[in-house]
Amino acid sequence: RLGTYVAASFSRQNESDADELGLLLTSLACFDIKAGALVHEKLSKLSGDHSTKLTDTHPSSMERKIILAELAAVHETDRVTNPAFSQYQRDCLNKREAWAQSIFAVRKK
């Protein structure tokens, strides 16, 4: 039984690490990094979120919402204070907008 608790705890940490990596990838793709916390907040409300049990392999949606919101706030502060990253995001947004316009131009033909 102890192995079950250790494995569940390890899995929850893996899921939290994956959430953080997802947030960073979301940011690099110039999408809204606050959306992950909103998704987990909605999931929590829909599922009647329970506190995490020792054997659960994933953090609860409410735990994930809190962690993602905290990570997004830290990341947003880093983004604002790092001029190179801010320029990267501006470039990324411009490229994404140009790509979207090219898609619409193709569809109009």
Side-chain angles (χ1 to χ4, degrees):
R1 290 191 168 242
L2 181 59
T4 302
Y5 299 123
V6 171
S9 174
F10 183 70
S11 296
R12 283 194 300 272
Q13 184 58 52
N14 287 349
E15 288 296 323
S16 294
D17 292 345
D19 286 346
E20 184 171 4
L21 179 59
L23 181 130
L24 292 173
L25 292 172
T26 300
S27 175
L28 289 173
C30 297
F31 288 99
D32 183 3
I33 58 176
K34 295 181 265 330
L38 297 174
V39 166
H40 282 287
E41 181 176 18
K42 289 179 182 181
L43 285 172
S44 176
K45 288 177 183 175
L46 289 172
S47 68
D49 204 14
H50 313 297
S51 61
T52 302
K53 299 177 186 121
L54 287 175
T55 57
D56 285 350
T57 59
H58 290 67
S60 71
S61 289
M62 189 51 70
E63 284 178 90
R64 287 176 117 164
K65 178 234 176 215
I66 292 167
I67 291 167
L68 286 170
E70 289 172 355
L71 287 170
V74 169
H75 184 73
E76 186 66 16
T77 300
D78 290 346
R79 184 186 67 75
V80 169
T81 59
N82 183 337
F85 191 74
S86 295
Q87 182 61 47
Y88 168 81
Q89 285 209 309
R90 281 192 296 278
D91 292 345
C92 182
L93 289 170
N94 290 336
K95 287 177 187 175
R96 194 168 78 192
E97 184 177 327
W99 175 80
Q101 288 175 357
S102 70
I103 294 296
F104 291 124
V106 169
R107 287 184 179 170
K108 288 181 182 180
K109 289 182 180 181

